[in-house]
């Protein structure tokens, strides 16, 4: 799954916005631990009460492992007029220990009839036994009570008839609507089950460890088509003009990957090198926007099959653009679903950054077909094995298939973004306990996705790309169609032999040498599991402090904490028991050679081979750590940047800018020193480095503007326009140049117009007027489209016209640009109208509410409006989004985390306390409070310095 918000940040260069196969012989029993002998003999009085008042025979959130599913026969008939569905299923189960009940997950389903058949019943055509059903909604479970004990080691068949309404939100089996060019509203039915919503569509063992095969039949009207994980085998004509599609049985998989859709979409198809049919589906009026996705999917699928040395396991792969979708995309096996803006590409309105986003999401979801689908984590505490790997594989696959995108430079921002959260005490380990559905949903965050990916990238850099690739191939082949955990991955990376390489004695040999879990690195044995545990089982990010004394380097590691200073009383306690095994890399002024060292202790010393004027750690920013150069270290690096910045690698220059401003937030470096480091940027030709420095300065401008600190705001405005004037003046209002040329153009012109730079406003106004005069038919270069719309939205006539165009547009990319422009209005009544439209969900889809509130909250005229709306409409928001959903978490974060005053902190704290009193609690609450406290502290410490520094330079 792609979290829409991970890359949904409004800035200059980040996008506005997650067959029949012979299975290996696996002992099913070995996948599940046996229950304790007294598991079912507890005092019945301690068990929960079912809805009918009877005692419910199971008390745990996790299902018992006494009965496990082998195969589901599932029939579904959705009615897109009455917006409900009737369904039935037959589940083949294996009983592992005698029991008198079966516990399943079920949520908001009306169970009408349940019968049980033994194998003997089916053999002799005996009628099944009707079962009583108990419902325990608090755990989303039902109990099927059997009249006679089910016997161990036998198979049984559970038949269930049930029905429900199509869900209103974005989970389970839900309805989605779209408008045609002619203005007609059409309805489709679609599923989205990750992580715990398959139970909303059919009673099931809804945990990733309970893998099974699925045979699916869907009944529909002739004007619709049905899609599912596997290809269609046949269609049967029924009375009344209905059709019933039968699909091939799936490979063995978890319930959250089951998918089916009933729609009237059109597709474009192609065939991969290995013969897989790939199809892109969209609503009929948007069919023309599917072609880039097909090209990218075919290239990426071919790449993954070669890279993993494992063919894609299914005969077909469908990618479908869904009009209403909660996240960015979902990796259902063989039927991947996407938000329209994550799949469709319109050459007339999609910018360079839009193309990057579409490519990235496709790469992410296709990687999941192996990481997540073929090999699945045992439980949601290790969801990073799915999401971190998918994010990491974006880097590997896009570099190989679309080198012109220079994805390496974009990936650095992925790591920098997560460091903001991971440097707070409220962060969490990559692998973390999660029990309830809400806690499980919270695991889908930037720690699982971004930190997981960045940690893997660091490990790849340490092991070498060849050994890392060999290790993950071993992991995928060994655990295909099974579940895995952290240690399984580390063992595979330590031991890169394949199953066929093992001798009869159980040892693996490679080049006649026995391979153990310890790697030899510079003469030192390194335990991979021991090393990686320090990155996955403890939260936070290390700070490496370097002090140079001639040829001697003194090293020290600490826990890096943003917003907590060394002089603070809590600092020392927050440092205790934190230690990482850090694979360090460094280069010096004397040599471009990359030196390596593993820092496993709190302190260490290194001796350089020759005298050097400076040393730079974390070469190419491949390591997940921050570096502070004590003594004259920073001065020496700043001097080198000013004298000849090209002696440092481009990624090292980016890393220095990032680390310097992070160190300011921790009180380890003064703001004027970090700002002095950016002065060399007037000579910088590397666009990602230039953009990195620009982004920090722009961030300060928006912070001062929101706080209405007018003197600093004006001085920052003059400094930015003066300092970046040469490069701003070089920009053309076109789509010419390389990918990064285009990102730079978008970022610089957006900044110039945000700062009311007269030439920028004049050109944007001229293009907007021409566009309006052409009745929206004029083709404006896509990379400046959002800028033009934003300037145009500042007049009442322009704002109204844009809202009309928003309703008419068939391009999701264009809608995003218009919505952002509308959100920049200085009139609060207009901003409130946008929020109301998004809550209503007809003109502005409710799926876009979180994005809209984020944009409005960043508008100085809208920040209080957005926050007040969330407080006053919390109950209504929870009716539209689940408590732990992406949307709710980002609505909370985006409307509050920019606050920087004690009054605002108190307001937010009181609101969160009232929610906790009502039983609503999320980890994001503590993250937000810590972020606001950090903002307050930053201003108190750095505002005088910023003011003085600017006065000296403007």
């Amino acid at each position: 799954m792609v979290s829409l918000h991970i890359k949904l940040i409004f800035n200059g260069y980040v996008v506005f916005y997650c067959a029949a196969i012979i299975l290996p012989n696996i002992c099913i029993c070995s996948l599940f631990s046996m229950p304790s002998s007294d598991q079912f003999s507890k005092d019945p009085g301690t068990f929960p009460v079912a809805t009918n008042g009877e005692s419910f025979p199971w008390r745990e959130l996790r299902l018992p492992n006494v009965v496990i599913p082998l195969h589901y026969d599932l029939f579904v008939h959705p009615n897109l007029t009455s917006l409900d569905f009737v369904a039935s299923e037959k589940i083949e189960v294996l009983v592992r220990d005698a029991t008198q009940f079966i516990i399943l997950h079920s949520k908001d389903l009306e169970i009408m009839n349940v019968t049980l058949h033994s194998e003997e019943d089916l053999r002799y055509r005996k009628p099944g036994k009707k079962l009583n059903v108990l419902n325990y909604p608090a755990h989303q479970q039902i109990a099927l009570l059997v009249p006679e004990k089910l016997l161990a080691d036998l198979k049984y068949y559970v038949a269930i008839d049930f029905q429900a309404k199509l869900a209103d939100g974005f989970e389970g089996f839900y309805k989605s609507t779209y408008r045609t060019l002619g203005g007609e509203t059409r309805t489709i039915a679609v599923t989205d089950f990750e992580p715990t919503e398959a139970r909303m569509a059919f009673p099931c063992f809804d945990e990733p460890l309970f893998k099974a095969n699925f045979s699916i039949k869907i009944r529909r009207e002739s004007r619709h088509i049905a899609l599912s994980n596997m290809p269609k085998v046949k269609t049967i004509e029924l009375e009344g003009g209905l059709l019933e599609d039968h699909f091939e049985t799936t490979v063995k998989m978890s319930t959250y990957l089951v998918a089916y859709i009933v729609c009237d979409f059109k597709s474009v198809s192609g065939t991969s090198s290995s013969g897989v049919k790939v199809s892109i589906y969209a609503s009929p009026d948007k069919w023309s926007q599917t072609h880039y996705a097909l090209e990218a999917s075919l290239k990426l699928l071919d790449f993954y099959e070669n890279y993993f040395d494992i063919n894609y396991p299914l005969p077909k792969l469908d990618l479908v653009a869904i009009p209403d979708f909660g996240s960015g995309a979902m990796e259902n096996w063989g039927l991947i679903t996407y938000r329209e803006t994550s799949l469709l590409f319109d050459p007339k309105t999609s910018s360079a950054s839009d193309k990057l986003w579409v490519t990235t999401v496709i790469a992410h979801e296709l990687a999941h077909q192996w990481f997540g689908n073929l090999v699945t984590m045992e439980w949601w505490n290790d969801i990073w094995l799915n999401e971190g790997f998918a994010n990491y594989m974006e880097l590997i696959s896009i570099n190989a298939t679309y080198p012109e995108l220079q994805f390496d430079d974009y990936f650095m921002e992925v790591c920098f973004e997560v460091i903001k959260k991971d440097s707070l005490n409220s962060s969490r380990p990559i692998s973390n306990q999660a029990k309830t559905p809400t806690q499980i949903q919270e695991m889908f965050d930037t720690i699982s996705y971004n930190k997981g990916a960045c940690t893997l990238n660091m490990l790849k850099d340490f092991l070498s790309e060849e050994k890392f690739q060999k290790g993950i191939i071993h992991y995928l082949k060994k655990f295909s169609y099974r579940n895995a955990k952290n240690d399984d991955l580390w063992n595979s990376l330590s031991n890169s032999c394949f199953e066929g390489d093992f001798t009869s004695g159980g040892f693996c040999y490679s080049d006649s040498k026995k391979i153990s879990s310890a790697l030899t690195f510079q003469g030192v044995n390194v335990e991979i599991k021991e090393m990686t545990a320090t990155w996955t089982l403890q939260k936070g990010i290390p700070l490496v402090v370097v002090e140079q004394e001639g040829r001697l380097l003194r090293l020290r590691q600490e826990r890096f904490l943003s917003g907590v200073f060394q002089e603070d009383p809590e600092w020392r306690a927050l440092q205790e028991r934190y230690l990482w095994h850090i694979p360090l890399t460094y280069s010096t002024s004397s040599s471009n050679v990359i030196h390596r060292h593993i820092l496993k202790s709190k302190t260490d010393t290194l001796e350089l081979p020759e005298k050097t004027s400076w040393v730079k750690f974390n070469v190419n920013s491949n390591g997940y750590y921050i570096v502070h150069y004590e003594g004259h270290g920073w001065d020496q690096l700043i001097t080198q940047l000013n004298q000849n910045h090209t002696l440092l690698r481009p990624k090292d220059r980016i890393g220095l800018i990032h680390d310097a401003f992070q160190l300011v937030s921790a009180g380890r470096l003064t703001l004027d020193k970090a700002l002095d480091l950016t002065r060399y940027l007037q000579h910088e030709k590397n666009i990602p480095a230039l953009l990195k420095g620009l982004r920090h300065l722009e961030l300060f401008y928006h912070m001062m503007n929101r706080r209405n600190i007018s003197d600093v705001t004006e001085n920052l405005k003059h400094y930015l326009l003066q300092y970046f004037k040469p490069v701003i003046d070089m920009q053309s209002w076109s789509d010419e140049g390389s990918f990064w040329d285009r990102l730079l153009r978008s970022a610089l012109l957006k900044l110039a117009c945000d700062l009311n730079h007269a030439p920028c406003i004049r050109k944007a106004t001229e293009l907007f007027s021409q566009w309006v005069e052409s009745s929206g038919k004029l083709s404006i270069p896509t990379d400046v489209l959002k800028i033009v719309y934003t300037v145009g939205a500042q007049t009442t006539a322009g704002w109204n016209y844009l809202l009309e165009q928003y309703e008419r547009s068939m391009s999701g990319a264009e809608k995003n640009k218009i919505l952002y422009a509308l959100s920049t209005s200085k009139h609060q009544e207009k901003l409130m109208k946008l929020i109301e439209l998004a809550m209503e969900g007809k003109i502005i889809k409710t799926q876009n509410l979180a994005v809209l509130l984020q944009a409005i909250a960043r508008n100085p005229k809208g920040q209080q409006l957005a926050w007040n709306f969330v407080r006053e409409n919390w109950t209504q928001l929870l009716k539209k989004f689940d408590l732990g959903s992406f949307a709710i978490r980002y609505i909370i974060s985006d409307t509050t985390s920019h606050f920087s005053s004690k009054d605002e902190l108190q307001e937010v704290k009181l609101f969160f306390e009232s929610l906790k009193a009502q039983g609503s609690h999320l980890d994001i609450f503590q993250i937000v409070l810590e972020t606001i406290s950090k903002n307050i502290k930053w201003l108190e410490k750095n505002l005088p310095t910023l003011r003085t520094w600017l006065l000296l330079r403007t």
Side-chain angles (χ1 to χ4, degrees):
M1 182 187 289
V2 164
S3 163
L4 183 67
H5 194 83
I6 285 174
K7 294 160 188 164
L8 196 74
I9 302 161
F10 291 124
N11 60 51
Y13 65 102
V14 180
V15 183
F16 175 18
Y17 337 57
C18 141
I21 284 187
I22 300 173
L23 302 182
N25 292 321
I26 299 169
C27 175
I28 294 171
C29 300
S30 69
L31 297 179
F32 300 87
S33 59
M34 290 297 290
S36 60
S37 58
D38 65 342
Q39 192 165 350
F40 309 114
S41 59
K42 306 267 182 157
D43 176 8
T46 66
F47 281 84
V49 177
T51 52
N52 67 351
E54 292 183 30
S55 178
F56 193 81
W58 187 250
R59 73 187 86 195
E60 307 296 332
L61 276 165
R62 296 281 297 272
L63 296 182
N65 49 34
V66 170
V67 179
I68 58 174
L70 302 177
H71 183 271
Y72 294 76
D73 267 307
L74 177 62
F75 162 80
V76 185
H77 180 197
N79 186 320
L80 300 190
T81 303
S82 58
L83 302 179
D84 53 19
F85 67 94
V86 294
S88 62
E89 65 182 348
K90 183 170 74 173
I91 312 174
E92 178 186 358
V93 299
L94 174 66
V95 176
R96 299 177 60 244
D97 199 17
T99 182
Q100 282 200 283
F101 57 81
I102 300 172
I103 307 296
L104 295 168
H105 284 112
S106 178
K107 180 183 177 184
D108 299 333
L109 299 174
E110 182 186 347
I111 310 295
M112 297 179 291
N113 187 49
V114 182
T115 55
L116 177 76
H117 292 82
S118 66
E119 289 192 296
E120 182 182 346
D121 291 337
L122 293 179
R123 189 179 304 119
Y124 296 105
R125 298 185 180 180
K126 293 180 180 179
K129 300 175 181 66
K130 188 165 183 177
L131 304 186
N132 289 331
V133 182
L134 299 181
N135 190 10
Y136 186 48
H139 286 180
Q140 301 173 0
Q141 293 171 356
I142 56 172
L144 311 182
L145 307 182
V146 299
E148 299 174 5
K149 266 194 176 183
L150 303 180
L151 302 180
D153 302 321
L154 292 183
K155 293 179 183 178
Y156 293 85
Y157 300 84
V158 180
I160 307 176
D161 299 321
F162 56 98
Q163 64 185 16
K165 299 290 290 183
L166 288 171
D168 285 325
F170 305 97
E171 295 89 24
F173 192 25
Y174 70 94
K175 66 178 183 292
S176 173
T177 61
Y178 71 92
R179 293 185 68 185
T180 67
L181 269 172
E184 177 191 356
T185 297
R186 295 183 183 176
T187 302
I188 69 168
V190 60
T191 60
D192 192 26
F193 293 160
E194 190 179 33
T196 58
E197 279 80 39
R199 64 194 68 173
M200 294 176 66
F202 58 100
C204 57
F205 298 81
D206 200 14
E207 295 178 8
L209 195 58
F210 291 105
K211 289 192 170 188
N213 304 98
F214 296 81
S215 299
I216 297 174
K217 302 179 183 70
I218 300 177
R219 195 168 291 178
R220 59 178 172 86
E221 295 180 57
S222 58
R223 62 195 173 102
H224 294 130
I225 62 169
L227 302 170
S228 190
N229 303 86
M230 299 297 286
K232 186 169 61 175
V233 176
K234 63 181 177 180
T235 298
I236 299 173
E237 292 188 19
L238 305 172
E239 291 181 8
L242 292 175
L243 302 173
E244 188 173 285
D245 294 326
H246 294 208
F247 296 89
E248 283 184 26
T249 300
T250 71
V251 295
K252 195 174 181 184
M253 66 187 195
S254 304
T255 48
Y256 78 89
L257 295 171
V258 174
Y260 38 90
I261 301 170
V262 176
C263 64
D264 62 345
F265 287 1
K266 305 299 181 187
S267 66
V268 59
S269 300
T271 305
S272 73
S273 298
S274 61
V276 177
K277 183 181 179 182
V278 178
S279 302
I280 315 297
Y281 285 84
S283 58
D285 294 327
K286 297 178 182 178
W287 176 85
S288 63
Q289 300 174 41
T290 59
H291 300 284
Y292 175 71
L294 180 62
E295 173 209 308
S297 300
L298 290 168
K299 286 178 76 170
L300 288 160
L301 189 62
D302 285 346
F303 169 79
Y304 283 134
E305 288 190 321
N306 290 324
Y307 185 87
F308 296 137
D309 191 34
I310 302 172
N311 281 344
Y312 171 74
L314 309 184
K316 65 92 175 175
L317 175 62
D318 297 334
L319 296 81
V320 189
I322 306 298
D324 299 276
F325 206 72
S327 60
M330 174 56 209
E331 66 267 18
N332 316 298
W333 216 348
L335 183 61
I336 309 175
T337 44
Y338 293 78
R339 188 177 284 224
E340 290 181 331
T341 49
S342 299
L343 185 66
L344 303 182
F345 181 82
D346 178 8
K348 293 180 180 178
T349 58
S350 297
S351 64
S353 56
D354 292 327
K355 192 170 196 175
L356 174 64
W357 174 245
V358 169
T359 312
T360 301
V361 180
I362 293 173
H364 183 103
E365 302 308 328
L366 264 60
H368 271 313
Q369 306 303 296
W370 287 265
F371 281 100
N373 299 10
L374 185 64
V375 180
T376 311
M377 76 275 136
E378 284 193 1
W379 182 247
W380 300 106
N381 60 300
D382 280 335
I383 186 59
W384 84 273
L385 287 174
N386 289 13
E387 300 300 349
F389 251 113
N391 262 25
Y392 167 75
M393 289 309 302
E394 293 171 13
L395 170 66
I396 304 302
S397 62
I398 295 175
N399 274 349
T401 54
Y402 290 92
E404 68 275 13
L405 296 181
Q406 295 176 259
F407 196 79
D408 268 11
D409 295 311
Y410 181 78
F411 187 80
M412 291 178 72
E413 280 301 316
V414 169
C415 301
F416 295 158
E417 192 60 35
V418 69
I419 286 171
K420 290 180 188 175
K421 177 177 178 179
D422 207 22
S423 62
L424 299 174
N425 191 45
S426 52
S427 187
R428 64 165 182 84
I430 291 176
S431 183
N432 199 41
Q433 289 302 310
K435 295 180 180 179
T436 68
T438 296
Q439 290 170 342
I440 291 168
Q441 283 183 313
E442 287 188 282
M443 290 294 291
F444 290 79
D445 67 354
T446 186
I447 297 293
S448 292
Y449 286 76
N450 292 11
K451 185 177 180 179
C454 299
T455 302
L456 290 169
N457 187 53
M458 176 173 66
L459 188 57
K460 179 261 296 182
D461 185 63
F462 167 68
L463 291 174
S464 82
E465 189 156 358
E466 181 184 3
K467 184 161 186 64
F468 188 80
Q469 181 182 357
K470 193 174 181 183
I472 61 176
I473 290 172
H474 177 241
Y475 168 79
L476 288 171
K477 289 190 173 182
K478 183 174 182 179
F479 294 98
S480 288
Y481 305 102
R482 294 165 63 189
N483 299 78
K485 52 187 182 296
N486 266 345
D487 286 356
D488 298 321
L489 175 62
W490 309 141
N491 291 337
S492 292
L493 289 170
S494 300
N495 185 342
S496 55
C497 297
F498 293 104
E499 295 292 289
D501 296 331
F502 283 87
T503 69
S504 57
F507 295 105
C508 174
Y509 293 86
S510 177
D511 296 330
S512 303
K513 293 181 181 178
K514 181 179 165 184
I515 306 294
S516 75
S517 62
L519 297 174
T520 300
F521 180 80
Q522 294 184 345
V524 179
N525 275 348
V526 179
E527 288 284 347
I528 293 295
K529 180 179 175 181
E530 184 184 351
M531 170 190 267
T532 53
T534 69
W535 298 95
T536 60
L537 302 182
Q538 68 179 347
K539 65 183 179 181
I541 178 170
L543 170 67
V544 177
V545 181
V546 181
E547 188 171 9
Q548 184 178 355
E549 296 176 6
R551 288 172 52 190
L552 200 66
L553 293 177
R554 299 192 186 280
L555 307 178
R556 182 171 81 251
Q557 66 162 292
E558 301 171 3
R559 179 186 177 195
F560 179 75
L561 288 163
S562 180
V564 182
F565 302 158
Q566 278 181 302
E567 59 267 28
D568 293 341
E570 68 269 29
W571 186 86
R572 188 166 297 281
L574 293 174
Q575 292 291 328
E576 290 180 3
R577 298 186 301 278
Y578 281 86
L579 182 72
W580 287 265
H581 291 187
I582 311 172
L584 299 176
T585 56
Y586 61 97
S587 60
T588 71
S589 62
S590 306
S591 169
N592 212 28
V593 172
I594 300 176
H595 303 275
R596 296 179 182 271
H597 177 75
I598 300 176
L599 181 62
K600 299 171 69 172
S601 54
K602 282 286 187 182
T603 61
D604 207 347
T605 57
L606 293 174
E607 189 171 350
L608 298 171
E610 54 194 326
K611 192 173 181 181
T612 180
S613 60
W614 53 261
V615 61
K616 166 65 176 67
F617 274 77
N618 198 3
V619 177
N620 285 324
S621 295
N622 281 320
Y624 187 75
Y625 55 92
I626 289 171
V627 185
H628 176 45
Y629 304 93
E630 283 193 336
H632 299 293
W634 280 105
D635 293 327
Q636 291 163 342
L637 288 163
I638 291 169
T639 298
Q640 182 61 67
L641 287 170
N642 286 322
Q643 288 176 351
N644 181 4
H645 64 276
T646 62
L647 286 187
L648 286 151
R649 296 172 176 85
K651 289 181 185 175
D652 285 342
R653 305 198 294 269
I654 298 170
L656 284 172
I657 295 169
H658 169 264
D659 283 7
F661 285 103
Q662 286 296 315
L663 289 164
V664 171
S665 73
R668 302 300 286 266
L669 194 67
T670 59
L671 178 60
D672 55 348
K673 188 86 71 177
L675 290 168
D676 285 345
L677 186 146
T678 68
R679 294 287 290 172
Y680 94 94
L681 288 172
Q682 59 191 314
H683 308 297
E684 182 62 84
K685 301 299 181 188
N686 178 265
I687 293 173
L690 183 60
L691 284 171
K692 186 62 185 171
L694 176 69
R695 190 179 181 192
H696 282 289
L697 295 168
E698 188 177 5
L699 184 68
F700 297 153
Y701 170 79
H702 290 303
M703 182 191 295
M704 299 301 131
N705 195 25
R706 277 196 298 265
R707 284 298 306 273
N708 197 27
I709 306 173
S710 55
D711 64 318
V712 181
T713 302
E714 282 303 305
N715 285 338
L716 257 172
K717 172 182 169 180
H718 292 313
Y719 177 77
L720 284 163
L721 289 175
Q722 173 194 16
Y723 189 70
F724 290 100
K725 185 178 188 303
V727 68
I728 290 172
D729 289 346
M730 287 170 54
Q731 303 308 310
S732 64
W733 292 69
S734 69
D735 287 337
E736 297 169 356
S738 70
F739 171 75
W740 280 95
D741 287 333
R742 296 176 65 181
L743 290 188
L744 179 66
R745 176 183 302 123
S746 295
L748 285 173
L749 292 179
K750 179 183 180 298
L751 173 64
C753 281
D754 282 350
L755 298 176
N756 286 314
H757 185 45
C760 186
I761 298 293
R762 196 159 48 241
K763 180 64 176 178
T765 302
E766 176 190 331
L767 287 171
F768 185 78
S769 297
Q770 292 172 0
W771 179 69
V772 172
E773 288 168 10
S774 72
S775 299
K777 294 182 173 60
L778 176 72
S779 185
I780 299 173
T782 60
D783 294 328
V784 299
L785 197 52
K786 184 163 76 170
I787 301 162
V788 171
Y789 288 163
T790 301
V791 172
Q794 303 315 306
T795 67
T796 298
W799 195 91
N800 290 335
Y801 185 76
L802 280 166
L803 186 57
E804 291 172 12
Q805 288 298 113
Y806 182 90
E807 190 172 359
R808 285 196 287 262
S809 177
M810 283 290 147
S811 164
E814 182 179 37
K815 280 179 174 286
N816 272 354
K817 294 173 180 65
I818 293 175
L819 191 59
Y820 173 81
L822 293 170
S823 75
T824 63
S825 172
K826 294 177 176 59
H827 300 284
Q828 290 195 340
E829 68 276 8
K830 288 184 169 61
L831 301 178
M832 196 63 227
K833 181 177 181 179
L834 294 176
I835 295 173
E836 289 167 355
L837 288 172
M839 286 292 283
E840 182 187 45
K842 292 179 180 177
I843 294 174
I844 299 175
K845 292 275 189 181
T846 302
Q847 66 178 4
N848 294 321
L849 181 61
V851 176
L852 176 64
L853 286 170
Q854 178 197 52
I856 291 173
R858 293 186 178 199
N859 177 347
K861 298 295 183 183
Q863 55 183 347
Q864 195 61 42
L865 178 75
W867 166 232
N868 289 341
F869 172 80
V870 172
R871 284 191 299 171
E872 294 163 10
N873 295 272
W874 181 252
T875 303
Q876 285 72 20
L877 288 170
L878 286 186
K879 288 177 181 176
K880 296 185 178 294
F881 307 104
D882 279 356
L883 177 63
S885 65
F886 289 131
I888 286 293
R889 283 180 279 146
Y890 297 136
I891 285 171
I892 292 169
S893 175
D894 292 336
T895 56
T896 57
S897 56
H898 59 277
F899 287 155
S900 55
S901 74
K902 291 179 180 177
D903 287 344
E904 289 168 329
L905 176 62
Q906 186 62 19
E907 252 187 31
V908 175
K909 191 179 291 185
L910 289 172
F911 177 61
F912 288 169
E913 286 172 359
S914 72
L915 296 185
K916 288 180 188 178
Q918 297 167 29
S920 295
H921 176 70
L922 294 171
D923 290 344
I924 195 69
F925 293 173
Q926 189 56 40
I927 294 169
V928 165
L929 294 176
E930 199 175 338
T931 300
I932 299 172
S933 297
K934 183 184 78 171
N935 295 344
I936 294 168
K937 209 166 185 177
W938 192 98
L939 271 174
E940 289 173 348
K941 187 175 181 68
N942 296 302
L943 181 57
T945 304
L946 179 59
R947 182 177 273 122
T948 302
W949 191 87
L950 286 167
L951 285 171
L952 293 172
R953 285 161 180 83
T954 52

